[in-house]
Amino acid sequence: DIYGQFVDVNIEGCRAQIVTLAKAPAPLSLSLSLSLFLSLSLNSLSFSLSLSIPSLSLSLSLSLSLNSLSFSVSLSGRRERTNSESALEEEPRMDVSRLDLRIGRIVGVRYHPLAGALYVQEVDLGEPAPRTVVSALRHIPKEQLQGRLAVLLCNVRPCRVKGVVSTAMVLCGSAPNAHDNDNDDDAQVEFLEPPTNAVPGDRVTFYDYPGEPDRELSPREKVWEQILPDLQTDSRGVATYRGVGFEVRGKGLCRAPTLTNSSIK
C-alpha cells in the first residue's frame, strides 16, 4: 500500500493542501491509461485525473476557487495484489519441511496403566525436560527400547491417550505381514535408526525441501495426513520423502534395519 502525508502551505493568503507520497510502489510498467475531466465556470475551475497502471491505481483531483484565491490538491493510490502474490499468501507450502523431525533418546519405558498394548516412554530431545510419548510398540521388548535413539515428530498437537498426554510421535518403518496383509496390528515394524553419531535434539532435514517447521501442526490442515503417503523406505532401507533421504546434516541418513520399499508411520 502507498501511504500519504498531508502538508499545509500558506503563502500570502493562498492556502494549499498537498498529499505527498511517503512510500513509493514497486517498479512500474510504462504502459498506462489516462482519463481527464475538466469543468470551468466563472467562479471556479476544477478537474480530476485518474491513472491506471498495472498493479497500481491512482486518482488526482484539483479544485480552484477564483473568489478566494485558494486551491487544494489531493492524491491517493493503492497497490493492488497480483494473482501470484495472493496465491502465495493463501496457499502455504505442503511438504515435509513443515514437520519438526528430531532425534531423541528413550530414557524411560513403562507399561501404560490402562492399555495393555501401549508403552509410555520418556524421551530426551535435547530440551530441558524429557517428553512423554505414548506408542503402540508392545511387540518390541521393553529392554530393546531403553536407551535407544529414534526419530520423532515433535510438532504434533499434544493429545491424551487413555489418560496419558503424549507430546510427540515415534516414526517407524512398517510393512504388512506376509500372512495377513490387512491387519495393521500384525505388521512388521522397525524403528528408524539415526546415524550412530547423532545426539538428542539433532534436526532431521531434507536437501530439496528447506524451510522452518510449523510451531504446531494444525489438525484442520491435515498436514501430517497429506505428507504421510510420500514417506517410505527405499531399496536400501533409507527413510525418504519423495525420494529425498531423512538426513542429520553432517552425520548421515536415517534408515530401517531390514524393511525396504515400505511405508513409514
Side-chain angles (χ1 to χ4, degrees), residues 30-224:
L30 293 178
S31 61
L32 57 86
S33 60
L34 174 67
S35 61
L36 176 67
F37 173 77
L38 176 66
S39 65
L40 177 64
S41 67
L42 294 177
N43 293 325
S44 65
L45 171 69
S46 65
F47 73 89
S48 63
L49 174 69
S50 64
L51 302 177
S52 177
I53 303 173
S55 302
L56 186 70
S57 61
L58 293 175
S59 63
L60 172 67
S61 63
L62 173 66
S63 62
L64 176 64
S65 174
L66 299 180
N67 291 333
S68 59
L69 296 178
S70 66
F71 68 92
S72 63
V73 179
S74 65
L75 175 66
S76 63
R78 179 175 62 85
R79 186 174 182 271
E80 299 175 352
R81 293 179 180 176
T82 64
N83 292 336
S84 59
E85 288 174 333
S86 299
L88 287 174
E89 291 184 5
E90 295 172 1
E91 299 180 8
R93 71 187 189 283
M94 185 60 68
D95 62 50
V96 74
S97 67
R98 297 183 66 177
L99 306 183
D100 183 5
L101 297 174
R102 284 186 256 160
I103 306 302
R105 185 182 299 278
I106 300 172
V107 295
V109 186
R110 66 182 187 273
Y111 300 121
H112 194 296
L114 300 177
L118 301 176
Y119 279 129
V120 178
Q121 302 153 90
E122 301 299 323
V123 183
D124 175 13
L125 286 158
E127 298 171 328
R131 291 201 195 190
T132 299
V133 180
V134 178
S135 59
L137 297 171
R138 284 292 292 270
H139 59 285
I140 300 177
K142 183 179 177 181
E143 296 74 21
Q144 293 184 18
L145 298 178
Q146 185 72 36
R148 77 176 301 159
L149 292 174
V151 178
L152 289 97
L153 177 61
C154 297
N155 58 343
V156 291
R157 179 169 293 181
C159 63
R160 189 174 296 275
V161 183
K162 300 287 186 179
V164 178
V165 176
S166 181
T167 58
M169 185 169 64
V170 178
L171 297 192
C172 296
S174 177
N177 189 294
H179 303 292
D180 192 355
N181 293 335
D182 297 325
N183 188 356
D184 287 341
D185 293 334
D186 197 32
Q188 294 178 270
V189 177
E190 292 181 348
F191 273 84
L192 296 182
E193 295 186 347
T196 55
N197 57 345
V199 296
D202 280 348
R203 281 280 311 278
V204 176
T205 59
F206 300 81
Y207 182 78
D208 289 341
Y209 299 93
E212 290 300 313
D214 293 11
R215 181 175 181 181
E216 181 179 275
L217 296 178
S218 169
R220 180 179 55 84
E221 291 186 64
K222 298 187 180 299
V223 177
W224 170 245

